[in-house]
Amino acid sequence: MKNRIELLFLFLMATISGCARYNAERKILSLNSTWEFAESRSFEEIPSDFNRSVPVPGLIDMAAPAPDTPYMDKVYWYRKTFRINNKLPEVVLLKIYKAMYHTKVFLNGKPAGENFYCFTPATFDVRKFLNRNGVANEMIIGVGCQNNLPDTILNGHDQERVNYIPGIYDNVELQLTGYPYITNIQTAPDPDENKIRINARFKTNGKSENIGIQYYLSEVSTGKVVLQGDTAITGDAVDFELSIPACKLWSPEDPFMYELYMNTGGDDKKVKFGMRSFAFDKDKGIALLNGKPYYMRGTNVSILRFFEDSQRGNLPWDYSWVAQLHGKFKKMHWNSMRYCIGFPPERWYEIADSVGFLIQDEFPLWWGMRNVKASHLVREYTEWMKERWNHPCVVIWDAQNETVTEETGKAIQLVRNLDLSHRPWDNGWAPPQAETDGMETHPYLMEFLIKADDTNKAPWTDLYTTVRIPQNGPSDRSPLPDGRAYPNPIIINEYEWLWLNRDGSPTTLTESVYNQILGKNSTKDQRYECYARILAMDTEYWRAHRKCAGVMYFTGLGYSRTTPPRGQTCDNFIDVRNLIFEPNFERLMKPAFAPVGLMMDMWNAKYKRNTDLTIPVYVFNDTYSDFTDTLKLTIVRDNKPLKEISQPITVKSLERKIFNITLMMPDAIGKCKLIALIREGSEAVISEREFELVP
């Protein structure tokens, strides 16, 4: 009894001590601004003359004047002076959120730290290098090129990139605080129980155990404090659960956010999170968001490719533009994205949290393994997860893209238990590492184009004759060598092979395709329309058959390169700065991704006039509400209706129904269009097929 009283007394004293120091505050000194800039041949050669300028964050091609390409074997130097006017606190940390490639820091002429990783944060203890009492400090940061890296470090290899432009491409800041300081907070929501698990790590600098911690939880949108309390550090961590009264869930439809504040008396920290869970139903092959079936509809963002786009400028760091980009994507009915083969700046994730997207977060690994082993990957994967695991938008850790290797699987097994939310993993073209993991497939089924001369078939007919989603092997046309079939849930996050540059010209991968479909003298308008029509039909097809957990077309944001070396893929903007999609794409792809969607199972290029035709119309409802409307089919020629038929329909929540509609082909000859239409609210949802009426 005496021991229990003593322990209680110690705990209360620690708590009271924490209360007395409640005003402790971590101060953030942002170093984002214009820095001085120079270059040299090596890290051993720090320039003395910094006569150029460069923005941070950004890339070195934004320097004035910009350095020459190629960026192969130089080191690029950033210099900035700053002052800390007050007394130095116990802890001063420099955090560089992301910089490519190989980073060295010098502070007041002394080496202060080095980091080889290109896509995860680097944090350095720089207190001992700082000048005190308002004396100027000189910080110099050198960043290398991709060739400066050891072969055990990933350089973001991507065979579609050319320049690999270096730079400090995310925030730089000084964190001024005291002991015990908070090194990391992980929140793990449990929406089923309205609970949040909190695991926080500290550095105490030898201070005694049972240090009082105060916390409160508030709503981000209102600032309302939901609950508050205190606990104590044991060793270097705390791990506890909180029940959230009247808990509000996070989803793309309602991205409600909470903020956790923790105070140690010497340091404080805030993290935002959303109450959501995400998993795959391995038996049904679908995603579960907050315990309910959820169909993922979306796109991809290839940010490292966009870094090489001629129209990029400062757009990735113009966060009003980034917010508008995500808003544009939302208007396309997309609820999901893969950040593909590379991570954007941290602010992008904050925007995705607040706008409401599910992110498949893909590490920048696409072949190019060099001598990288699982033990090397574990270090990078760990830093990646620690930086990202409070974001409700991040629902899938994606270890790699289209790469056959054992190393990523080994690394996944070593790090997956670090994530207390137990997100699923994707392992590219390597085997899934758990039956609850998803797997990506990229069904670029273009062999159907060979039969384009069949007189009664459209060029795309063979694609749709059977529902065929390939296994995730190195060839999407063949099963794996030993015939294995993984039963894991599937996300189609790449499909189609019809990319056009923003000016309407084919890419290097699609020139021969358009020559086959449209002939060598096709116009850009013909190509735009062809691309959008087939892409919309593919999207309807993959969604209607309900064989996959998600459909995410490639790509929402990429690059356009029309001068040598020409590009291989592209997005569908015609004006990326003003976020204007190609009109055919927006007109047809927006309804193709509508939450209540349509697909006409109709693929022939020619039909006989004056004959009855029964058309299966798939209506699929991704929402949690029943849908009732009138399904209308209209045959149009020269923008004039020739025949129309309608039928009342009801499709229950998450249901898919097939309505067999019979109509007689008109007594006419020539090219026609059949349009199936429903209305979801005020928006028309359509499925279109073009064909020719013949005698």
Side-chain angles (χ1 to χ4, degrees), residues 299-334:
T299 188
N300 290 253
V301 167
S302 301
I303 190 65
L304 297 183
R305 292 181 183 177
F306 186 59
F307 280 176
E308 301 195 359
D309 187 82
S310 62
Q311 301 301 307
R312 181 211 74 219
N314 72 329
L315 294 179
W317 305 278
D318 178 351
Y319 296 125
S320 63
W321 179 87
V322 177
Q324 292 172 36
L325 173 73
H326 285 69
K328 183 81 172 180
F329 289 172
K330 287 287 272 193
K331 290 179 181 178
M332 294 295 291
H333 302 302
W334 296 335

Side-chain angles (χ1 to χ4, degrees), residues 297-302 321-339 348 355-357 553 555-558 571 573 579 581 585 590 593:
R297 309 180 304 270
T299 188
N300 290 253
V301 167
S302 301
W321 179 87
V322 177
Q324 292 172 36
L325 173 73
H326 285 69
K328 183 81 172 180
F329 289 172
K330 287 287 272 193
K331 290 179 181 178
M332 294 295 291
H333 302 302
W334 296 335
N335 57 31
S336 309
M337 277 191 284
R338 178 176 63 148
Y339 284 163
W348 286 58
V355 173
F357 273 97
Y553 107 100
T555 184
L557 182 68
D571 52 45
F573 287 106
L579 298 173
F581 277 134
F585 171 83
K590 185 176 181 179
F593 275 109

Side-chain angles (χ1 to χ4, degrees), residues 506-695:
T507 69
T508 60
L509 295 177
T510 63
E511 192 164 18
S512 62
V513 175
Y514 283 102
N515 288 344
Q516 289 186 61
I517 298 176
L518 299 174
K520 294 185 177 180
N521 297 318
S522 63
T523 66
K524 70 175 183 179
D525 290 336
Q526 289 174 320
R527 292 189 293 269
Y528 280 143
E529 198 272 343
C530 175
Y531 183 12
R533 188 166 299 282
I534 297 180
L535 185 56
M537 289 192 298
D538 274 7
T539 302
E540 296 171 9
Y541 171 80
W542 294 124
R543 291 187 63 204
H545 286 291
R546 293 293 207 229
K547 297 289 184 180
C548 52
V551 178
M552 294 188 280
Y553 107 100
F554 191 86
T555 184
L557 182 68
Y559 68 105
S560 182
R561 193 167 62 235
T562 56
T563 56
R566 292 166 53 208
Q568 289 72 55
T569 61
C570 189
D571 52 45
N572 292 88
F573 287 106
I574 56 174
D575 181 347
V576 71
R577 180 168 291 276
N578 292 302
L579 298 173
I580 299 174
F581 277 134
E582 195 281 312
N584 290 286
F585 171 83
E586 188 162 14
R587 183 182 74 84
L588 292 171
M589 284 293 282
K590 185 176 181 179
F593 275 109
V596 180
L598 291 171
M599 183 196 75
M600 287 189 290
D601 198 2
M602 173 185 177
W603 312 108
N604 286 353
K606 297 180 181 181
Y607 293 95
K608 293 181 180 180
R609 66 178 181 175
N610 292 327
T611 57
D612 284 339
L613 180 66
T614 299
I615 303 168
V617 181
Y618 290 64
V619 184
F620 34 95
N621 184 356
D622 288 359
T623 76
Y624 299 130
S625 301
D626 295 346
F627 176 81
T628 299
D629 195 49
T630 298
L631 170 63
K632 183 168 70 173
L633 271 65
T634 306
I635 297 177
V636 175
R637 187 181 66 175
D638 297 330
N639 295 320
K640 297 179 181 179
L642 299 180
K643 180 86 70 170
E644 185 173 292
I645 190 171
S646 60
Q647 174 180 324
I649 63 169
T650 296
V651 183
K652 293 181 179 179
S653 166
L654 302 175
E655 184 183 31
R656 184 202 69 179
K657 290 181 75 172
I658 303 172
F659 299 92
N660 292 303
I661 310 295
T662 300
L663 74 165
M664 177 175 282
M665 292 288 104
D667 184 12
I669 293 176
K671 292 184 177 180
C672 296
K673 183 188 297 182
L674 180 62
I675 304 171
L677 180 145
I678 57 176
R679 289 194 175 274
E680 189 178 6
S682 61
E683 185 172 316
V685 180
I686 60 171
S687 175
E688 293 187 358
R689 299 291 182 269
E690 289 188 331
F691 59 92
E692 184 178 358
L693 283 175
V694 297

Side-chain angles (χ1 to χ4, degrees), residues 291-420:
K292 296 180 180 180
Y294 194 86
Y295 290 97
M296 301 172 70
R297 309 180 304 270
T299 188
N300 290 253
V301 167
S302 301
I303 190 65
L304 297 183
R305 292 181 183 177
F306 186 59
F307 280 176
E308 301 195 359
D309 187 82
S310 62
Q311 301 301 307
R312 181 211 74 219
N314 72 329
L315 294 179
W317 305 278
D318 178 351
Y319 296 125
S320 63
W321 179 87
V322 177
Q324 292 172 36
L325 173 73
H326 285 69
K328 183 81 172 180
F329 289 172
K330 287 287 272 193
K331 290 179 181 178
M332 294 295 291
H333 302 302
W334 296 335
N335 57 31
S336 309
M337 277 191 284
R338 178 176 63 148
Y339 284 163
C340 175
I341 327 178
F343 304 143
E346 180 67 12
R347 182 69 181 124
W348 286 58
Y349 294 89
E350 296 170 359
I351 291 170
D353 286 339
S354 62
V355 173
F357 273 97
L358 305 182
I359 301 296
Q360 179 174 349
D361 206 26
E362 186 172 80
F363 203 86
L365 198 170
W366 186 25
W367 298 99
M369 288 285 289
R370 303 195 294 169
N371 197 32
V372 177
K373 303 299 180 185
S375 59
H376 306 119
L377 290 171
V378 164
R379 299 171 191 169
E380 290 198 70
Y381 284 0
T382 299
E383 294 305 311
W384 161 36
M385 295 167 70
K386 286 166 61 178
E387 188 71 359
R388 212 81 86 232
W389 52 29
N390 292 315
H391 287 289
C393 68
V394 175
V395 295
I396 301 170
W397 305 115
D398 193 339
Q400 49 113 325
N401 176 65
E402 290 185 350
T403 305
V404 180
T405 176
E406 295 180 353
E407 301 304 323
T408 52
K410 294 176 183 177
I412 289 171
Q413 296 295 5
L414 292 170
V415 301
R416 70 181 311 148
N417 288 334
L418 298 175
D419 177 16
L420 302 178

